[in-house]
Amino acid sequence: AMLTYNTGNAYSLQFTNLLMDGRDAYMTANANLTIAGAITSTDNNATLGTKLAGGTLVKQGGGNLFINGDNTSTFRGGTVITAGTIFF
């Protein structure tokens, strides 16, 4: 899934929890974004008959990403940063 967002007047966005159903999540952050809560991913893909290791969280764009939550037991994917900063 791909999420692109822009805000004006120095506003920021906040989401509570993020579920990646065995797929990647691409975020083009042109403003600050906060993910409050758990980032979870599933391992089962019945269509392919395989086990997936969870999705990859890809952060693009110049905005900052704030992750406010303990995801050590819920997120098994990877993280890629192409621009901006991620704060844990």
Side-chain angles (χ1 to χ4, degrees), residues 3-5 9 13-14 23 32 41 46 49 51 57 68-69 78 84:
L3 172 66
T4 301
Y5 56 92
N9 299 325
L13 300 172
Q14 179 172 325
R23 304 279 186 232
N32 290 339
S41 59
K51 293 280 192 179
L57 179 62
N68 294 338

Side-chain angles (χ1 to χ4, degrees), residues 5-87:
Y5 56 92
N6 298 295
T7 63
N9 299 325
Y11 289 116
S12 63
L13 300 172
Q14 179 172 325
F15 295 105
T16 302
N17 302 326
L18 173 66
L19 170 64
M20 297 190 308
D21 191 16
R23 304 279 186 232
D24 301 331
Y26 294 88
M27 298 182 178
T28 302
N30 295 315
N32 290 339
L33 170 68
T34 300
I35 299 174
I39 299 174
T40 57
S41 59
T42 59
D43 287 336
N44 294 320
N45 187 329
T47 304
L48 298 176
T50 60
K51 293 280 192 179
L52 299 176
T56 299
L57 179 62
V58 180
K59 191 246 177 256
Q60 306 169 359
N64 296 318
L65 174 61
F66 297 87
I67 298 179
N68 294 338
D70 180 3
N71 294 289
T72 56
S73 64
T74 59
F75 182 55
R76 294 183 281 278
T79 305
V80 176
I81 307 164
T82 63
T85 305
I86 294 182
F87 296 95

